Amino acid sequence: MENINWKEFGFGYTKTDYNVRCQFRDGKWGQLEISSSDQINVHIAATGLHYGQQAFEGMKAFRGPDGKVRIFRLDENGKRLQNSCNGIMMAKMSLELFEEAILKAVKLNARWIPPYESGASLYIRPVLFGNGAQVGVNPASEYTFAVFVMPVGPYFKEGFKPTDYVVYREYDRAAPQGTGTFKVGGNYAASLQAGTRAHNEGYSAVLFLDAKEKKYIDECGPANFFGIKDNTYVTPKSESILPSITNKSLCQIAEDLGMAVERRRVAVEELADFKEAGACGTAAVISPIRKIVDADHQKEYVYGDEAGKVSLKLYETLRGIQYGTIEDKHNWNTIVEL
Ligand code: PLP
Ligand code: COI
């Protein structure tokens, strides 16, 4: 596109041409609407504003060297949004309506999908919230769904260069039987104090431990954790983490590459056994970990200044599938007919 420096983008907001909206009223979802404004009407007594009845999703569209545009795991994101809606009692939409809205938003902003060579992609952000007046603590009867898109580069500015993470025991992101497995805004609000402190102290993100016992790894700020040892991909099983779609894909890729995969509780001390470690997610892709500092216990777990071989292979395979240079044998991509 004209005069766009695609390398400039991180995760700051960029206004694109159009967004797509839909309203739930009288027990049903209405027609998709297209808007070029990035403002939205919110009722002063909306439950989304007062009681956190809100959920969002995050996925990406990639322009391949063959010129095709692919959205990675659109259906999985739709199912996860439905699950978040169930979790906090919001009206959910059908997968068909979700997919139609996403495809519309991407097509209408086709000129904002970065070229292959840039290494950038188009981030897709759907959001759904209670937008009906309700002052007693009850679910709303009206909801707004909206989806906007914007070009993005790396989430952590170092990209694939390893960076540092920190464990603090005085903060929790989510309670054991709380909302940690749903992609709801309240979890992110709850992570801000710890995350901001981590950034101020020079870390990429916080490695949260399980809130109950503080013994096991939960997740890495806005990403899941994985460790590599003995040709095995190990990732935490926990009732308070977001089920990452990137992580699920990496488990499959690891298996396809002939590795063993273990999804189980991971004790903090096990960090010493991993040869490589990383954070993974739509925004983070794979962000390799250089070291994890456990400040309370005066311990450091060091993985090195360069990404390990296995992390690199996983990263290249994931990116290859997303950009269409490696066969998509599990049918993860939705091709966008522009
Ligand atoms: N964990 C949290 C808390 C997140 O916000 C995200 C981002 O979506 C992830 C993990 C990674 O999930 P996914 O790979 O589905 O993007
Ligand atoms: C994503 O990876 O899509 C996320 O939601 C991370 C984010 C909170 C920026």
Side-chain angles (χ1 to χ4, degrees):
M1 201 175 87
E2 333 78 55
N3 300 327
I4 294 258
N5 180 2
W6 298 103
K7 302 249 180 256
E8 235 169 44
F9 296 107
F11 252 78
Y13 177 73
T14 299
K15 186 177 191 301
T16 53
D17 298 335
Y18 300 102
N19 54 74
V20 174
R21 296 129 188 251
C22 193
Q23 307 294 337
F24 181 91
R25 264 189 219 115
D26 302 324
K28 58 179 190 302
W29 288 99
Q31 299 282 320
L32 295 179
E33 292 158 30
I34 296 166
S35 173
S36 56
S37 164
D38 52 5
Q39 303 291 317
I40 214 160
N41 255 332
V42 180
H43 195 285
I44 196 167
T47 59
L49 269 187
H50 296 259
Y51 304 132
Q53 241 201 335
Q54 179 276 354
F56 66 102
E57 269 304 326
M59 73 204 103
K60 283 176 174 169
F62 303 86
R63 199 188 286 278
D66 57 0
K68 287 188 183 160
V69 172
R70 295 168 173 82
I71 301 176
F72 190 65
R73 309 209 74 168
L74 175 54
D75 53 335
E76 286 290 327
N77 282 271
K79 285 189 236 164
R80 192 170 63 188
L81 180 60
Q82 289 184 329
N83 197 45
S84 297
C85 288
N86 286 339
I88 57 168
M89 300 194 73
M90 299 198 291
K92 62 182 180 215
M93 59 193 344
S94 68
L95 290 181
E96 291 73 28
L97 186 57
F98 177 80
E99 293 185 10
E100 193 188 334
I102 304 297
L103 287 169
K104 223 184 229 325
V106 172
K107 286 185 200 180
L108 287 167
N109 294 289
R111 71 187 187 105
W112 290 98
I113 308 169
Y116 174 64
E117 303 71 36
S118 66
S121 57
L122 189 78
Y123 186 68
I124 305 167
R125 171 53 68 86
V127 62
L128 197 158
F129 61 95
N131 199 3
Q134 175 63 53
V135 183
V137 182
N138 281 303
S141 53
E142 296 188 4
Y143 293 84
T144 295
F145 171 80
V147 47
F148 70 84
V149 301
M150 62 179 197
V152 293
Y155 186 72
F156 299 119
K157 65 180 185 310
E158 295 81 358
F160 196 64
K161 218 161 161 30
T163 58
D164 302 341
Y165 291 70
V166 64
V167 173
Y168 304 126
R169 281 175 186 68
E170 66 263 50
Y171 306 95
D172 294 320
R173 171 187 168 274
Q177 296 185 75
T179 56
T181 59
F182 308 126
K183 202 163 169 65
V184 299
N187 298 337
Y188 296 80
S191 75
L192 285 176
Q193 280 202 1
T196 303
R197 177 171 159 199
H199 292 154
N200 291 341
E201 293 179 0
Y203 301 102
S204 284
V206 178
L207 184 61
F208 286 100
L209 301 186
D210 77 284
K212 193 170 170 188
E213 297 185 79
K214 301 278 171 184
K215 269 191 179 164
Y216 303 99
I217 309 290
D218 251 2
E219 60 184 328
C220 288
N224 276 184
F225 172 86
F226 69 86
I228 306 288
K229 64 173 179 189
D230 305 329
N231 201 33
T232 305
Y233 179 98
V234 182
T235 194
K237 184 174 174 155
S238 160
E239 58 194 345
S240 50
I241 65 177
L242 190 76
S244 156
I245 295 163
T246 310
N247 195 6
K248 185 173 173 181
S249 310
L250 289 173
C251 287
Q252 182 65 57
I253 290 171
E255 217 177 283
D256 293 349
L257 292 172
M259 298 176 66
V261 172
E262 293 177 7
R263 195 185 277 278
R264 56 169 168 79
R265 293 209 290 190
V266 178
V268 189
E269 297 72 43
E270 198 179 340
L271 290 174
D273 302 340
F274 294 124
K275 297 288 169 290
E276 302 177 28
C280 64
T282 298
V285 193
I286 285 182
S287 297
I289 299 180
R290 179 168 62 187
K291 70 170 187 238
I292 296 166
V293 175
D294 183 343
D296 309 314
H297 292 184
Q298 283 96 40
K299 269 200 178 146
E300 283 191 2
Y301 303 93
V302 180
Y303 305 102
D305 293 339
E306 296 301 325
K309 269 203 247 96
V310 177
S311 302
L312 181 62
K313 183 75 187 159
L314 291 168
Y315 176 81
E316 286 175 342
T317 310
L318 175 69
R319 299 302 266 177
I321 296 169
Q322 292 173 329
Y323 283 100
T325 58
I326 291 179
E327 189 197 351
D328 174 23
K329 61 182 179 189
H330 300 289
N331 274 319
W332 288 340
N333 294 319
T334 300
I335 309 253
V336 184
E337 305 296 339
L338 293 175

Short mmCIF file of all heavy atoms in Angstrom, two decimals, residues 31 68 92 117 140 146 163 217 221 318:
data_model
loop_
_atom_site.label_atom_id
_atom_site.label_comp_id
_atom_site.label_asym_id
_atom_site.label_seq_id
_atom_site.Cartn_x
_atom_site.Cartn_y
_atom_site.Cartn_z
N GLN A 31 -28.70 -8.01 11.92
CA GLN A 31 -27.87 -8.03 10.70
C GLN A 31 -26.47 -7.48 11.02
O GLN A 31 -26.33 -6.62 11.89
CB GLN A 31 -28.48 -7.06 9.66
CG GLN A 31 -29.88 -7.43 9.21
CD GLN A 31 -29.83 -8.57 8.22
OE1 GLN A 31 -28.97 -8.63 7.36
NE2 GLN A 31 -30.76 -9.50 8.36
N LYS A 68 -2.22 -15.45 -1.61
CA LYS A 68 -3.46 -15.80 -0.90
C LYS A 68 -3.44 -15.29 0.54
O LYS A 68 -2.38 -15.22 1.16
CB LYS A 68 -3.62 -17.33 -0.87
CG LYS A 68 -4.01 -17.89 -2.21
CD LYS A 68 -4.36 -19.36 -2.09
CE LYS A 68 -4.68 -19.93 -3.45
NZ LYS A 68 -4.56 -21.38 -3.49
N LYS A 92 -24.50 -15.78 23.09
CA LYS A 92 -23.43 -16.13 22.17
C LYS A 92 -23.97 -16.15 20.75
O LYS A 92 -25.18 -16.23 20.54
CB LYS A 92 -22.78 -17.45 22.55
CG LYS A 92 -23.71 -18.61 22.52
CD LYS A 92 -22.99 -19.86 22.97
CE LYS A 92 -23.97 -21.01 22.91
NZ LYS A 92 -23.77 -21.97 23.96
N GLU A 117 6.54 -10.14 2.43
CA GLU A 117 7.95 -9.82 2.73
C GLU A 117 8.11 -9.03 4.03
O GLU A 117 9.16 -9.04 4.64
CB GLU A 117 8.59 -8.97 1.61
CG GLU A 117 8.56 -9.56 0.22
CD GLU A 117 7.14 -9.58 -0.38
OE1 GLU A 117 6.37 -8.63 -0.14
OE2 GLU A 117 6.84 -10.56 -1.05
N ALA A 140 -27.06 -9.03 31.16
CA ALA A 140 -27.81 -8.08 30.34
C ALA A 140 -28.74 -8.82 29.40
O ALA A 140 -28.58 -10.03 29.18
CB ALA A 140 -26.84 -7.23 29.52
N ALA A 146 -18.56 -6.59 18.00
CA ALA A 146 -17.87 -5.78 17.00
C ALA A 146 -16.55 -6.42 16.66
O ALA A 146 -15.97 -7.15 17.49
CB ALA A 146 -17.65 -4.36 17.53
N THR A 163 13.95 -13.15 25.52
CA THR A 163 13.87 -12.08 26.53
C THR A 163 13.58 -12.70 27.90
O THR A 163 13.37 -13.91 28.03
CB THR A 163 12.76 -11.07 26.17
OG1 THR A 163 11.52 -11.77 26.08
CG2 THR A 163 13.05 -10.36 24.85
N ILE A 217 3.50 -23.81 37.32
CA ILE A 217 3.46 -22.74 36.31
C ILE A 217 2.04 -22.62 35.76
O ILE A 217 1.44 -23.63 35.39
CB ILE A 217 4.39 -23.07 35.11
CG1 ILE A 217 5.80 -23.45 35.57
CG2 ILE A 217 4.41 -21.95 34.09
CD1 ILE A 217 6.59 -22.35 36.13
N GLY A 221 1.94 -14.00 31.22
CA GLY A 221 1.23 -12.78 30.81
C GLY A 221 0.22 -13.15 29.73
O GLY A 221 -0.61 -14.04 29.95
N LEU A 318 5.22 -23.38 12.27
CA LEU A 318 3.98 -22.63 12.50
C LEU A 318 3.84 -21.50 11.50
O LEU A 318 2.80 -21.34 10.85
CB LEU A 318 3.98 -22.09 13.94
CG LEU A 318 2.81 -21.20 14.32
CD1 LEU A 318 1.51 -22.01 14.39
CD2 LEU A 318 3.04 -20.52 15.68
#
